[in-house]
Amino acid sequence: MEVRYTNTKDDLVAFNDHHLANSKPYQRRKIINLYVTPVVLLLAFSVFALSTGKVSFYIGGVLGALASYLWTFFAYKRYARKCAEVFQKEVFCEHKVVISDVGVSESTANSSSQFTWDALEKIESNEDYIFIYNTPATAFVIPKREVGKDSFEAVKLALDNAQ
């Protein structure tokens, strides 16, 4: 089966969102940065306030913890979009993906690659995309809007049957 599509910045953002939402190390780091770090900061300043008797350390701890939380919250919220801001000529071009019994091959105007089924990391999908992971953090992103609903479902079925 062969499918052709062109990726946009929104497709790359969708992949980053999907990948980060399903990455256990990223989610663990996000929780630590969002919740643990501000609490540790607040506790450290509280200890200083108790040992010195100065209320200003309490205020500094509360403000520091709040600033830490807000900065981290907005940084993580923007992370997927920030990853897609760098222009990548091998992403934002026409792709041809061929699915066969041997594996998956992908070609663009500037490159081509072929992966056996054993060489692929995983294949995931959601309502709008199919993600064929060729490494733990990169994938061929096949958008439903580019290939059409029928072709999209046919690709999903071909991938399921071929594995």
Side-chain angles (χ1 to χ4, degrees):
M1 164 161 227
E2 179 181 309
V3 63
R4 292 177 183 268
Y5 60 92
T6 302
N7 287 128
T8 65
K9 183 177 177 179
D10 289 337
D11 298 331
L12 191 54
V13 169
F15 169 68
N16 288 332
D17 281 337
H18 174 83
H19 178 69
L20 295 174
N22 294 298
S23 169
K24 289 184 190 320
Y26 176 84
Q27 292 302 321
R28 189 173 25 254
R29 189 174 69 231
K30 181 178 175 182
I31 288 170
I32 288 169
N33 288 336
L34 271 174
Y35 304 111
V36 176
T37 302
V39 168
V40 168
L41 191 62
L42 182 60
L43 289 174
F45 274 88
S46 295
V47 168
F48 285 134
L50 281 173
S51 65
T52 62
K54 295 184 179 181
V55 177
S56 60
F57 280 117
Y58 283 121
I59 295 168
V62 169
L63 293 177
L66 181 62
S68 172
Y69 176 81
L70 291 174
W71 181 86
T72 304
F73 176 79
F74 288 114
Y76 276 99
K77 187 173 180 122
R78 183 161 156 54
Y79 187 73
R81 188 158 290 284
K82 186 80 172 159
C83 291
E85 285 181 359
V86 177
F87 179 76
Q88 301 173 41
K89 68 180 180 179
E90 279 303 302
V91 174
F92 304 123
C93 61
E94 183 180 49
H95 298 258
K96 179 176 94 172
V97 172
V98 177
I99 301 162
S100 69
D101 293 337
V102 178
V104 175
S105 64
E106 188 250 7
S107 59
T108 67
N110 298 317
S111 69
S112 66
S113 58
Q114 183 162 343
F115 297 89
T116 63
W117 292 113
D118 289 337
L120 293 173
E121 288 290 320
K122 59 187 171 184
I123 297 172
E124 295 181 348
S125 64
N126 62 25
E127 192 174 299
D128 298 316
Y129 294 95
I130 298 171
F131 307 106
I132 304 172
Y133 281 81
N134 54 347
T135 71
T138 60
F140 305 132
V141 180
I142 303 174
K144 183 180 189 176
R145 67 164 203 305
E146 281 283 316
V147 298
K149 182 180 179 182
D150 293 338
S151 291
F152 186 79
E153 294 302 324
V155 169
K156 283 173 92 171
L157 184 62
L159 289 167
D160 288 342
N161 291 338
Q163 291 183 21

